Each structure stands twice: as structure tokens, then as C-alpha cells.
């Protein structure tokens, strides 16, 4: 590894340090190594998991971070994916009553399938760092957004003010950002209460 052939590797701490510090060594680590966060208690109490350290490890080592989970259930691995881990290691068993320390904290096949399915949903939901309206939001905008609206009957020539102007759904009229622009302007027609301006 690290750019050396098996024939000329000297198994010494010095040679390892040289390989590790070399550009080829660092490239090999970045392409071949993933660091896993783990708390080695079976089962691990939720209060001792410390998922927040995942970002610390990512920044400190410059590697993708995985998570080796020893908690019961599927919640914590799903939360770890939401925090950006790229690899989950989770014990599974055919019977939680088998003899051995791992079975109680392991998932049965149905739970494992549910965890994987839930993780895939979370991966879809993570998205990216750009805040823009989604395609479904664009379709809902006319209903979900609001417009300038009369709170009471307004006669033609009456001034718009805090007592007769509000914002209500739907968003098919004048946008609420213009609320203050309409103050002390005169209505150009009669407007009924709850009618869009």
C-alpha cells in the first residue's frame, strides 16, 4: 500500500510514517479508508452515542465518516445518516435469543430491511444546500401564499389602512410584500370584506 510494492516494504514505524506522510499515502487513505464512529457497549445507551462527534472526526481526518452502531433498534443509524455518515455497520441476527453478546443489540431480518428502507428515505430527504422552491411547492404556491385582502367593506375612494387591509389566502392577488405600499392609497373601486384587493 501507499505506493510501495510488497517486495520493498520494510515493516518499521519509520517506513510507515514515511508512507503515511507521502502524497501517494494520503491519496491511498482518502480513496481506501473510511473512519467509523463507534461506542463499544452492547447495547449502547442512546445517551452515550454522541453523534455530534461525526462532524469533528470528518474535519479532523478529512475522511468520509461511517457509523458502527451498537444501539437497539433502527433510530440511531437513521439519525447518523442524517448527520452525513456514508456507511452504516449494524449487527443483525436470525434470533435475538441466541447465545452471545451481540444478539440483543442486533436487528432481525425484518428490522434490517426497515432500517435500510428508512435510510433510503432520509438520503432522498437530505437534498442539498440550496434553498429553492420545490416542484410541488411551485404547484401549491397559488393556494399556500397570501394576497392583500379587505378586512371590511371598502368604498371607492376610501384610504387603505391598518383597519381595512390584511393578508389572506389564496396567493392569486397582490403580494403581501406590497402591504405598506398600499397604505394611504385610495381604493379605485368598491371592495367587499374578504375580497382580494
Amino acid at each position: 500500500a501507499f505506493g510501495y510494492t510488497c517486495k520493498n516494504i520494510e515493516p518499521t514505524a519509520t517506513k510507515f510514517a514515511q508512507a503515511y506522510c507521502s502524497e501517494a499515502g494520503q491519496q491511498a487513505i482518502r480513496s481506501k479508508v473510511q473512519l467509523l464512529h463507534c461506542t463499544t457497549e452492547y447495547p449502547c445507551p442512546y445517551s452515550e452515542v454522541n453523534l455530534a462527534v461525526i462532524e469533528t472526526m470528518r474535519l479532523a481526518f478529512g475522511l468520509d465518516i461511517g457509523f458502527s452502531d451498537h444501539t437497539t433498534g433502527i433510530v440511531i443509524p437513521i439519525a447518523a445518516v442524517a448527520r452525513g455518515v456514508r456507511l452504516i455497520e449494524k449487527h443483525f441476527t436470525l434470533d435475538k435469543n441466541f447465545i452471545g453478546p451481540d444478539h440483543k443489540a442486533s436487528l432481525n431480518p425484518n428490522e434490517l430491511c426497515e432500517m435500510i428502507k428508512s435510510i433510503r428515505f432520509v438520503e432522498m430527504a437530505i437534498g442539498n444546500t440550496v434553498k429553492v422552491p420545490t416542484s410541488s411547492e411551485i404547484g401549491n404556491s397559488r393556494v399556500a401564499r397570501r394576497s392583500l385582502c379587505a378586512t371590511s367593506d371598502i368604498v371607492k375612494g376610501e384610504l387603505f389602512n391598518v383597519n381595512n387591509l390584511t393578508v389572506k389566502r389564496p396567493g392569486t392577488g397582490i403580494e403581501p410584500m406590497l402591504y405598506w405600499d398600499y397604505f394611504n392609497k385610495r381604493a379605485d373601486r368598491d371592495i367587499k370584506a374578504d375580497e382580494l384587493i
Side-chain angles (χ1 to χ4, degrees):
F2 304 158
Y4 292 87
T5 66
C6 291
K7 293 178 186 175
N8 64 8
I9 291 178
E10 295 180 38
T12 67
T14 301
K15 286 294 182 182
F16 177 82
Q18 288 172 347
Y20 177 80
C21 293
S22 71
E23 182 60 36
Q26 287 297 301
Q27 181 58 39
I29 288 171
R30 285 189 295 274
S31 65
K32 306 274 187 200
V33 174
Q34 190 166 69
L35 191 60
L36 273 65
H37 169 49
C38 181
T39 307
T40 54
E41 172 64 15
Y42 300 84
C44 177
Y46 293 148
S47 61
E48 295 182 8
V49 173
N50 192 16
L51 291 179
V53 81
I54 289 166
E55 184 60 22
T56 304
M57 293 169 67
R58 183 183 294 112
L59 293 171
F61 295 98
L63 297 171
D64 284 338
I65 305 299
F67 179 57
S68 176
D69 182 42
H70 296 148
T71 63
T72 56
I74 66 173
V75 172
I76 302 304
I78 295 167
V81 170
R83 290 201 73 107
V85 305
R86 304 280 304 273
L87 173 70
I88 295 290
E89 183 260 337
K90 180 74 175 177
H91 293 250
F92 74 96
T93 184
L94 297 178
D95 187 340
K96 294 185 182 192
N97 294 315
F98 283 163
I99 296 170
D102 294 346
H103 295 286
K104 294 282 188 244
S106 299
L107 301 180
N108 65 37
N110 288 338
E111 291 170 324
L112 182 64
C113 289
E114 186 63 30
M115 182 190 79
I116 293 167
K117 185 170 69 172
S118 298
I119 284 172
R120 296 296 176 249
F121 289 149
V122 168
E123 289 171 334
M124 282 190 288
I126 288 172
N128 57 50
T129 59
V130 180
K131 177 65 175 169
V132 295
T134 65
S135 56
S136 60
E137 285 178 311
I138 290 169
N140 291 334
S141 64
R142 292 171 63 84
V143 174
R145 291 192 176 178
R146 290 163 172 74
S147 303
L148 294 184
C149 181
T151 57
S152 59
D153 289 347
I154 301 172
V155 297
K156 182 178 179 178
E158 185 178 343
L159 294 174
F160 292 112
N161 59 60
V162 71
N163 296 316
N164 64 14
L165 192 61
T166 190
V167 294
K168 290 186 179 180
R169 289 180 173 173
T172 55
I174 296 167
E175 63 181 88
M177 292 295 291
L178 298 175
Y179 179 86
W180 297 106
D181 293 352
Y182 270 71
F183 268 44
N184 295 320
K185 287 189 176 180
R186 296 190 182 278
D188 60 4
R189 61 182 174 85
D190 289 342
I191 305 169
K192 297 289 187 189
D194 289 327
E195 184 181 346
L196 298 185
I197 303 303

